[in-house]
Amino acid sequence: MRHATLLRTGLSALLVLGAWTAAGPTSASAAPTPASAALLSAMQRDLGLTEKQALTRLADEKAATALEKKAQRAAGSAFGGSWLDAKTGRLTVAVTAAEKAEAVRATGAETRLVEHSAKSLDAAKARIDALKAPSGVSSWHVDPATSRVVVNVVAAEQADNDVRSFVAKARKAGPVTVKTTAQAPQTFAAGTVGGDPYYTGNVRCSIGFSVHGGFVTAGHCGGTGQQVRGWDNSYIGNFQGSSFPGDDYAWVNVGSGWWTVPVVLGWGAVPDQLVRGSNEAPIGASICRSGSTTRWHCGRVLAKNETVNYSQGAVHQMTKTSVCAQGGDSGGSFISGDQAQGVTSGGWGNCTSGGETWYQPINEILNRYGLRLHTA
């Protein structure tokens, strides 16, 4: 269908055979390209890196991702979490027992002695998840580097009685540090405007990643059964499953002349990046986002398994990033190198003044609906 799709610079990560062809064939003997020119350019712009530094960062992150599970097994019950040190390019693993440090270092990771295990911190966060948060509480997550649960409150509302009461209860749940944030998070859906990726009713969102039979996106963009239209107002499919709040994910079947390809577009005439898998990047890794409003932007992974308190209700198991986003970017692709990471949910700020954005991890979505990521 629709050769005109090849000319669309506003179409997100989908759906056009012409875009797949433009990426060029790959041979079995050729090594995967670590990043396209567009992704490297975005990393240089948003992270202040040279091209050489961006390539080095991607190589370090790939190595850390491969090492993370091995190092966790070496730490055993003393595992306190892990993160990538962007300055050294090394994975750091927190351990609660000094005698475990040598075994962890033998895997190639650095170590830091901490007070609390990841298991105990996750349990404390789960107790906080059971509390009802007021609007002045932005989010909360486990920070392995400080071995604490960080509770983020909106700076202008930190003296509010309900906020103070929530923080007091959170402190009883476990080791808590309170930080302030500039604004409360919100989802990044937008009203209908002409020429952008897909619509549900009067809402515009962005396509995330192709799966066999459809694509994944954000749950707040539409409910199960709702019809989805493309940028040209033609019928694509329907939401086959959707969850929001609690979660923020959904998937849409693809038909009626549309089809899927393993590509995240770089907002030009050719695809930006082939998708080759969904290995999870560590805290501290660089990450880039593609969305129908603000196109390509990059930043770092700041936290995992964060609970985000939107006005519509809390959403769990989110990943926080320093990447900016704006209305209409919801559902779009978060990618690290050539590995799919998740779909854009919401955040605060914009791509002029900056901000933070959360995504719902891709592997959780695939597991929830029994989907298979479309990879190159």
Side-chain angles (χ1 to χ4, degrees), residues 8 192-196 199 204 231:
R8 290 289 306 152
T192 298
V193 296
D196 274 300
Y199 304 95
R204 170 171 60 85
W231 63 269

Side-chain angles (χ1 to χ4, degrees), residues 117-262:
S117 69
K119 183 177 181 179
S120 65
L121 290 171
D122 287 343
K125 179 184 174 293
R127 289 190 285 271
I128 298 173
D129 283 344
L131 303 175
K132 182 172 176 58
S135 60
V137 176
S138 170
S139 62
W140 52 96
H141 70 273
V142 169
D143 178 20
T146 61
S147 198
R148 312 280 289 182
V149 179
V150 177
V151 175
N152 298 292
V153 302
V154 179
E157 299 186 48
Q158 57 185 318
D160 178 83
N161 286 337
D162 290 339
V163 172
R164 291 163 65 94
S165 176
F166 179 89
V167 168
K169 293 176 182 177
R171 291 190 189 280
K172 294 179 180 179
V176 163
T177 295
V178 177
K179 294 185 177 180
T180 59
T181 186
Q183 301 175 35
Q186 59 183 352
T187 56
F188 283 131
T192 298
V193 296
D196 274 300
Y198 85 86
Y199 304 95
T200 57
N202 66 343
V203 172
R204 170 171 60 85
C205 282
S206 299
I207 292 162
F209 292 95
S210 290
V211 296
H212 289 272
F215 65 83
V216 294
T217 187
H220 71 262
C221 291
T224 301
Q226 194 164 0
Q227 186 180 106
V228 172
R229 308 187 316 277
W231 63 269
D232 60 354
N233 205 39
S234 66
Y235 171 72
I236 295 177
N238 295 77
F239 279 84
Q240 300 299 300
S242 180
S243 180
F244 179 80
D247 309 295
D248 193 6
Y249 49 59
W251 83 281
V252 175
N253 70 317
V254 166
S256 302
W258 296 82
W259 58 90
T260 65
V261 292

Side-chain angles (χ1 to χ4, degrees), residues 74 95 97-109 111:
V95 294
E99 60 269 21
K100 288 289 188 178
E102 184 176 351
V104 173
R105 286 194 292 269
T107 69
T111 59

Side-chain angles (χ1 to χ4, degrees), residues 37-51 53-54 266-267 287-291 294-299 323-324 351:
L39 188 146
L40 288 173
S41 177
M43 290 180 68
Q44 292 173 71
R45 177 194 65 203
D46 294 339
L47 296 172
L49 304 174
T50 65
E51 181 178 356
Q53 288 171 332
W267 305 100
I287 193 164
C288 296
R289 179 193 54 73
S290 184
T294 58
R295 303 184 177 185
W296 273 103
H297 286 276
C298 297
V323 187
C324 67
C351 289

